[in-house]
Amino acid sequence: MNAKAVTTSARLSDEAVIPLTTLDPAAPLDDLEWLDLAIGDARVVAIGESAHYNREFYELRHRLLRYLVERHGFSAYATESGFVEGRLPDTWVRGGEERLGHVMANGMTSLMGLWKQMRAHLEWMRRHNRTAAHPVGFHGIDMPGSMVSLLPGLDAVTAYLAQADPGFQVDPAIRETAAAFAAASAFSAPAAFSAYGQLAPATRDALTAGLADLRARMTARRLDYLRGTAADAYERALRSLSITITLDAMLRDLARGDQHGMTLDREATIADTVEWILDREGRIVLAAHNGHVQRWPHTVPGMSPSPSMGMHLADRLGEDYLVIGTTSASGQTLNTSSDFYAGTLFTELEEAPQPGSLDALMAACHDGPFATDLRRLSPADAAAVRAVSQQRHGTYYSGVSPLDAYDVVVHLPRVTPAEPDQAALTHAPHEVQAAFSRWKPE
């Protein structure tokens, strides 16, 4: 096997390498049959990515989704996008009539839906559901409004209460305050956080208290509400409110400079949402950043390590939770510098992963995409993985113990930007269209 030269002598044996024939989601799936043994009876199979918006990570997840749905009966695709907004793509894949461009732009948050590779995901799910005895659903797991607006969550709860509790009026001051710092998209995150920070402390406190009052009312009147509305509608509205309350707490953390607390809030809540979905679905394919899915604390530069969503799920689900992590060697990755907001969406990866990283170890093994099952390594291969102390997440490295964090790792030699979907961009906010127009793909 002719592996590319990298700046490390460590490598896995040929026996540990499971080559992937292709990343084409439409290709035959026979080269994925090794997954049968790897996943066993796991109810949640999480698939990571080193960074958002790469073509290859979208294609890998799509291909694995197909396999898990067609060969193992998985019934849900849950991804790092807004829970509230996720109702729109779920309706579409089940036969809804909305234009797909509108669904992609408004039913997925944080720019996750603006790419042709995501369109292919949704189109496959819809085709599958036309003939399948057991359809596959779409779910978001994350905060509403791309984490810069409480309004989608508030509006969903208000719409439910108008049916379940028509004599009750939500305090208009709650929405007025939320609107004062709401942003149209992730590109306005700095402005949204600044506007929240400029609110008077008493105004922020009143918003938090108002949201708590809403949750207390909905919880106390559950039996009354279920007499007039479906149980699923009630539970979805309550989950939407809980997530919105978490976003409010995250903003409070940020305003007092507690980024660690903000991360703790988010990770625990998205784990709660995955459990909420699992209560309604048989088996879930979960797609999110490696830092979220791994069973290991995630460390962002300048912050203390934080328990991840994956750690919460592993604690709750045990062997029912399986994690497929990913690595890469070269290409372009999401730009995490401030000029991202000016339209520089991607940046070049360094020529080779740093020695001692999981990415470097994997890159030394094989030229093409491949997987390795960490639970079935020889003693020598396990020792090589155990010697790894870090992993690359886009533009930065984070400490990791791979044998604890992952069950399987898939290596993609080169990653490139996904292709923007023009139909989706047409339905996106103006600031998103402007930023994408300034981006010059290579």
Side-chain angles (χ1 to χ4, degrees), residues 2 29-30 42-43 54 69 75 116 119 121 154 171 180 205 209 266 333 360 364 386 391:
N2 297 318
L29 300 172
D30 294 344
R43 295 184 63 205
N54 280 120
V69 170
S75 60
K116 288 184 178 180
R119 171 184 286 270
H121 270 60
L154 277 174
D171 182 356
D205 291 347
R266 185 186 180 199
T333 190
R386 195 172 293 114
Q391 179 179 8

Side-chain angles (χ1 to χ4, degrees), residues 105 111 114 185 187 342-343 345 420-439:
L111 315 180
L114 300 179
S185 79
F187 284 107
L345 305 185
D421 187 278
Q422 294 305 317
L425 283 172
T426 299
H427 293 273
H430 176 73
E431 63 188 27
V432 174
Q433 297 177 21
F436 271 72
S437 71
R438 292 191 292 269
W439 173 43

Side-chain angles (χ1 to χ4, degrees), residues 184-195:
S185 79
F187 284 107
S188 289
F193 298 151
S194 175

Side-chain angles (χ1 to χ4, degrees), residues 186-424:
F187 284 107
S188 289
F193 298 151
S194 175
Y196 179 84
Q198 292 171 15
L199 293 175
T203 302
R204 296 201 296 259
D205 291 347
L207 173 60
T208 299
L211 292 170
D213 286 346
L214 281 178
R215 178 156 60 184
R217 184 180 185 89
M218 286 193 67
T219 302
R221 290 163 174 76
R222 175 179 177 273
L223 294 179
D224 292 337
Y225 289 175
L226 291 181
R227 292 191 185 99
T229 66
D232 181 69
Y234 170 82
E235 296 295 341
R236 183 173 290 276
L238 187 61
R239 186 80 221 132
S240 297
L241 179 56
S242 295
I243 291 172
T244 304
I245 288 172
T246 293
L247 179 55
D248 175 66
M250 291 168 62
L251 293 169
R252 292 178 70 89
D253 289 334
L254 188 63
R256 56 177 172 257
D258 185 7
Q259 290 184 313
H260 182 65
M262 182 179 181
T263 301
L264 292 175
D265 293 338
R266 185 186 180 199
E267 296 298 321
T269 296
I270 58 179
D272 291 343
T273 303
V274 173
E275 274 202 296
W276 186 94
I277 297 166
L278 192 58
D279 286 343
R280 293 153 178 79
E281 301 280 4
R283 304 178 84 180
I284 298 173
V285 178
L286 174 61
H289 193 283
N290 284 330
H292 294 308
V293 302
Q294 64 189 25
R295 292 188 303 263
W296 190 258
H298 185 206
T299 305
V300 176
M303 290 177 57
S304 301
S306 300
S308 63
M309 170 186 70
M311 293 175 68
H312 286 286
L313 291 175
D315 178 65
R316 302 173 194 182
L317 303 177
E319 293 184 357
D320 277 345
Y321 182 65
L322 181 133
V323 189
I324 300 175
T326 58
T327 58
S328 60
S330 65
Q332 289 187 298
T333 190
L334 174 65
N335 179 23
T336 55
S337 299
S338 59
D339 56 348
F340 167 84
Y341 297 101
T344 305
L345 305 185
F346 294 86
T347 188
E348 290 288 337
L349 288 167
E350 56 195 9
E351 285 190 12
Q354 291 181 8
S357 68
L358 181 61
D359 303 78
L361 175 66
M362 298 291 282
C365 298
H366 187 61
D367 284 341
F370 73 95
T372 187
D373 188 336
L374 298 182
R375 297 181 301 178
R376 293 172 175 80
L377 296 175
S378 69
D381 287 331
V385 176
R386 195 172 293 114
V388 164
S389 61
Q390 59 182 344
Q391 179 179 8
R392 184 166 62 187
H393 294 303
T395 58
Y396 65 92
Y397 285 81
S398 180
V400 72
S401 170
L403 293 177
D404 297 304
Y406 304 119
D407 299 290
V408 172
V409 174
V410 174
H411 181 70
L412 304 177
R414 181 173 177 80
V415 291
T416 57
E419 279 187 84
D421 187 278
Q422 294 305 317

